[in-house]
Amino acid sequence: QVQLVESGGGLVQPGRSLRLSCAASGFIFSNYAMHWVRQAPGKGLEWVAAASYDGADKYYTDSVKGRFTISRDNSKNSVSLQMNSLTFADTAVYYCVTYGVSVAGLDHWGQGNLVTVSS
Amino acid sequence: DIQMTQSPSSVSASVGDRVTITCRASQDISNWLAWYQQKPGKAPKLLIYATFSLQSGVPSRFSGSGSGTDFTLTISNLQPEDFATYYCQQANSFPLTFGGGTKVEIK
């Protein structure tokens, strides 16, 4: 079965950096796009970034462009989100998500990893 | 960017009721619309993709309809386990965008 295990979250000061990682298993990782979706405390879902199956194409929501970088290592079945210049607004649970492994949607989600930006 | 407007933001209903949630896209997204269910403290779960298609294991009391800019999620015969928050999401173009969510509460 598909498993996505995120790591790397925690407490960080404004302006600092943090790197989230997601280890994937249970499917042919190199065949599928990977996404990050976040959810601020008590708020709705916000799509953050995506990388194509080979990492050649990357997409970001406007609020993180120039600060966040998504990358993937198909040899290690992993995807990462490098987050720089963090602000209070980046505080959220971050989910690693697959697209299209089973069906045409964000079909498998990790357990979520809390990032708290606070001074 | 495509804006997704979901309504209502909350609804109170009883077990056995029929609940309808609507989602409007700011531009034509064909049938690239998905619905997710989220329970407190849990990751979202894909319910419906491509407007109509039920994800495997999702009960048939959930159904989706619509096209273009207007979409609907209907829950027939509401069950206790259906009390949750529901989100629509467009997959027509990047950036992917979600509706604001609809919380289905117990009346």
Side-chain angles (χ1 to χ4, degrees):
Chain A
Q1 71 282 19
V2 173
Q3 278 200 307
L4 300 168
V5 179
E6 300 119 339
S7 60
L11 176 64
V12 62
Q13 292 179 325
R16 303 299 291 267
S17 300
L18 203 62
R19 185 178 184 88
L20 300 181
S21 296
C22 173
S25 61
F27 64 106
I28 303 174
F29 182 77
S30 58
N31 283 0
Y32 298 98
M34 293 298 297
H35 296 244
W36 288 94
V37 174
R38 69 184 178 182
Q39 186 169 36
K43 302 297 184 183
L45 301 172
E46 180 184 27
W47 176 84
V48 175
S52 61
Y53 71 100
D54 59 357
D57 297 309
K58 300 177 182 181
Y59 306 89
Y60 302 92
T61 192
D62 284 349
S63 63
V64 309
K65 279 180 185 174
R67 300 188 301 122
F68 289 13
T69 302
I70 188 172
S71 60
R72 63 187 296 160
D73 185 339
N74 285 349
S75 68
K76 296 181 178 178
N77 288 0
S78 69
V79 60
S80 297
L81 186 68
Q82 176 66 40
M83 304 184 292
N84 298 332
S85 303
L86 285 161
T87 72
F88 297 121
D90 296 315
T91 294
V93 173
Y94 286 73
Y95 295 99
C96 170
V97 193
T98 66
Y99 188 96
V101 171
S102 304
V103 296
L106 295 167
D107 50 358
H108 297 278
W109 296 64
Q111 82 280 4
N113 204 341
L114 178 61
V115 172
T116 303
V117 182
S118 176
S119 53
Chain B
D1 298 1
I2 299 174
Q3 309 303 316
M4 304 301 292
T5 304
Q6 203 174 323
S7 62
S9 57
S10 66
V11 57
S12 294
S14 301
V15 172
D17 283 355
R18 179 186 180 98
V19 171
T20 299
I21 300 168
T22 63
C23 186
R24 175 165 287 177
S26 61
Q27 63 190 72
D28 190 337
I29 60 170
S30 184
N31 73 333
W32 291 104
L33 193 283
W35 291 96
Y36 301 83
Q37 176 193 65
Q38 187 179 33
K39 296 183 178 179
K42 300 293 187 181
K45 170 188 169 184
L46 177 65
L47 293 179
I48 290 174
Y49 62 98
T51 301
F52 311 101
S53 301
L54 241 58
Q55 168 71 307
S56 175
V58 174
S60 59
R61 62 181 179 272
F62 290 91
S63 63
S65 64
S67 68
T69 60
D70 293 306
F71 302 87
T72 299
L73 171 69
T74 300
I75 312 171
S76 305
N77 188 20
L78 196 69
Q79 295 300 297
E81 60 268 30
D82 301 335
F83 292 97
T85 301
Y86 295 85
Y87 296 92
C88 63
Q89 174 248 323
Q90 66 82 16
N92 181 74
S93 61
F94 286 107
L96 305 187
T97 44
F98 289 89
T102 296
K103 186 173 184 179
V104 178
E105 300 175 297
I106 301 173
K107 182 183 283 184

